[in-house]
Amino acid sequence: MTAGAVRRPVNDPRGPRFPAGVSGTARSPGSPPGDVEAEFVATARRFAAPVRGVGLLLTSVFGLLAVPDDLMPLGFALLGLVVVGAVVDCWTGISGRGAPLALGFAVARVVAICATQEWTGGQPHQWALNVLTTTAITLQWEWPPKVAVPVTAGLLAVDLAAVGFGEGGAIVLRLLAECVLARLAFVLLRWSSRRVDVLRDRRADLERAEALTLERHRREREYLALLHDTASATFLLVAANGRDTDPAQVAGYARHDLAILTGSAGGPTAQDSPVDLKASLHAVVERRPLTVEAEWRDVPLVPASVALALVRAVREALVNIERHTGVDTAALSVRGEGDGVVVEVADTGPGFRPDDVPHLRRGIRGSVVERMTAVGGRAVVTSSPGAGTTVRLVWPDG
């Protein structure tokens, strides 16, 4: 057992305990990115370069139309550089590699087009301005601020040097506004994806807590059923027989009950391996004072948890026959059916109305019906006054 874990009896109704230090809280602000946030960041950085490449290619095709005829060789050379850069950008997005190479081509395109705009269309030229702003915007999504800010500032300086610092006020304002908006959009979307991760963590915590609660309730029901089968039965024996009860016999019952309730004997099995149901039910039948007429047909092996539920349900049914019917014989039928098993316990006693049984009586509901439901089976009690009682146990249900 690991350090910090708490060991409890097998039948403890409080359920399992986590090792110390394990909690169900959502991720803290300083924790690593979750799946959604990490996927968003990776996607943004992966598609920023291809978007830049395609955008600059379209911009350059239209920009080439403004180049004077005598400078068309220069215009085509710049367009060739843009085409090569677009190929590198698309390759970077597809392969997920070569981001520094794509950054280098992005800088080279802006520098080349901005530095030559005096000959390709005059100052300031829309081709150069659009290339500059498109590159600066995509850098905000592709690179962290420590890279994007100085690179953008350097590209802006190149453009201002080409057009003149006195005429670059509008360029500075436009570039600043577009870069701030691009960075803000990226931050807001990243925050939203982080929020999704937090909500997913909380949902997982709630599902985990719900599963633990269901398990705890199942163990509580099992514990109450065990209590009914053991200590309650012993107390009823003492109350019914009074002073005629053998103290040594009562002490033996009490020791046996204590062993079951603390999990040292007879508790739920740790391994749900297949067991011989026929042998298990034989042991129950042989220990009863009733004469049990048993019929066995193709009895299959069943998981240990299912066998335990069936054994306890059959035992409870036989105990009820002994206590309440006044008959000394019962019939037990066990047969395989498909991949499951059907067990029936019947008597010819006075019968009763199952709907009239008080809610606080847990014999049928706790020791029979709930036990079978807990292992994926079904229990049906059929009875009416004067017609005897039949308890039908089916596993699996359906």
Side-chain angles (χ1 to χ4, degrees):
M1 182 175 294
T2 58
V6 178
R7 182 178 179 85
R8 286 179 173 171
V10 174
N11 298 311
D12 193 318
R14 293 172 292 176
R17 285 284 300 274
F18 283 135
V22 176
S23 64
T25 58
R27 65 176 66 250
S28 61
S31 59
D35 294 338
V36 177
E37 181 184 1
E39 183 66 23
F40 165 72
V41 173
T43 301
R45 291 176 176 171
R46 183 174 183 178
F47 285 97
V51 168
R52 179 178 59 244
V54 173
L56 293 185
L57 182 58
L58 294 176
T59 299
S60 298
V61 169
F62 287 102
L64 185 63
L65 299 177
V67 176
D69 293 340
D70 58 336
L71 291 176
M72 272 298 176
L74 175 60
F76 279 111
L78 293 175
L79 181 61
L81 176 62
V82 172
V83 170
V84 174
V87 172
V88 172
D89 285 337
C90 292
W91 172 77
T92 300
I94 294 173
S95 66
R97 298 176 296 171
L101 180 61
L103 177 62
F105 268 94
V107 172
R109 279 172 289 184
V110 175
V111 170
I113 294 174
C114 288
T116 60
Q117 61 183 307
E118 179 179 357
W119 302 285
T120 58
Q123 303 172 350
H125 189 19
Q126 286 299 317
W127 184 7
L129 183 58
N130 291 333
V131 167
L132 171 63
T133 55
T134 301
T135 302
I137 290 171
T138 55
L139 288 179
Q140 310 310 312
W141 288 69
E142 188 179 8
W143 293 92
K146 64 181 181 180
V147 175
V149 171
V151 171
T152 301
L155 296 179
L156 176 60
V158 170
D159 189 59
L160 292 179
V163 301
F165 288 94
E167 300 179 4
I171 298 176
V172 173
L173 291 178
R174 175 179 170 177
L175 187 65
L176 181 62
E178 292 180 348
C179 289
V180 169
L181 290 176
R183 176 61 63 179
L184 181 61
F186 179 80
V187 170
L188 288 177
L189 289 174
R190 184 170 185 175
W191 178 87
S192 298
S193 63
R194 183 179 303 158
R195 181 64 179 171
V196 171
D197 282 320
V198 171
L199 293 177
R200 288 178 60 181
D201 287 344
R202 289 179 180 174
R203 180 178 177 180
D205 291 340
L206 290 175
E207 291 176 349
R208 198 157 41 240
E210 182 181 7
L212 289 174
T213 300
L214 292 175
E215 175 64 14
R216 182 168 63 250
H217 288 168
R218 186 192 69 79
R219 288 174 177 260
E220 288 174 351
R221 291 193 299 269
E222 178 65 21
Y223 190 78
L224 290 175
L226 280 175
L227 192 64
H228 177 274
D229 294 351
T230 55
S232 296
T234 301
F235 292 152
L236 183 61
L237 175 65
V238 174
N241 296 333
R243 295 182 178 180
D244 297 333
T245 305
D246 183 3
Q249 184 182 27
V250 174
Y253 288 155
R255 283 193 298 270
H256 179 262
D257 296 345
L258 181 62
I260 292 178
L261 292 173
T262 57
S264 57
T269 57
Q271 300 292 333
D272 211 17
S273 55
V275 298
D276 188 347
L277 178 61
K278 183 176 181 179
S280 301
L281 291 177
H282 257 304
V284 175
V285 170
E286 292 173 355
R287 295 175 184 174
R288 310 263 30 119
L290 285 172
T291 299
V292 180
E293 300 175 355
E295 179 184 3
W296 315 90
R297 285 188 297 171
D298 303 324
V299 182
L301 298 178
V302 298
S305 60
V306 176
L308 180 63
L310 289 169
V311 165
R312 287 174 171 168
V314 169
R315 182 175 61 188
E316 177 62 21
L318 295 176
V319 168
N320 285 337
I321 294 174
E322 297 170 12
R323 293 175 181 172
H324 306 299
T325 64
V327 301
D328 55 5
T329 60
L332 172 66
S333 171
V334 185
R335 67 180 184 276
E337 193 170 280
D339 295 331
V341 63
V342 177
V343 179
E344 292 184 349
V345 181
D347 67 75
T348 58
F352 65 101
R353 291 186 176 87
D355 294 339
D356 294 340
V357 177
H359 182 74
L360 296 178
R361 296 286 297 275
R362 294 192 54 83
I364 295 176
R365 188 177 68 258
S367 296
V368 179
V369 177
E370 290 183 359
R371 268 186 177 144
M372 292 303 301
T373 301
V375 296
R378 180 177 77 254
V380 178
V381 179
T382 305
S383 183
S384 60
T389 302
T390 299
V391 178
R392 179 181 172 87
L393 311 173
V394 180
W395 181 88
D397 185 11

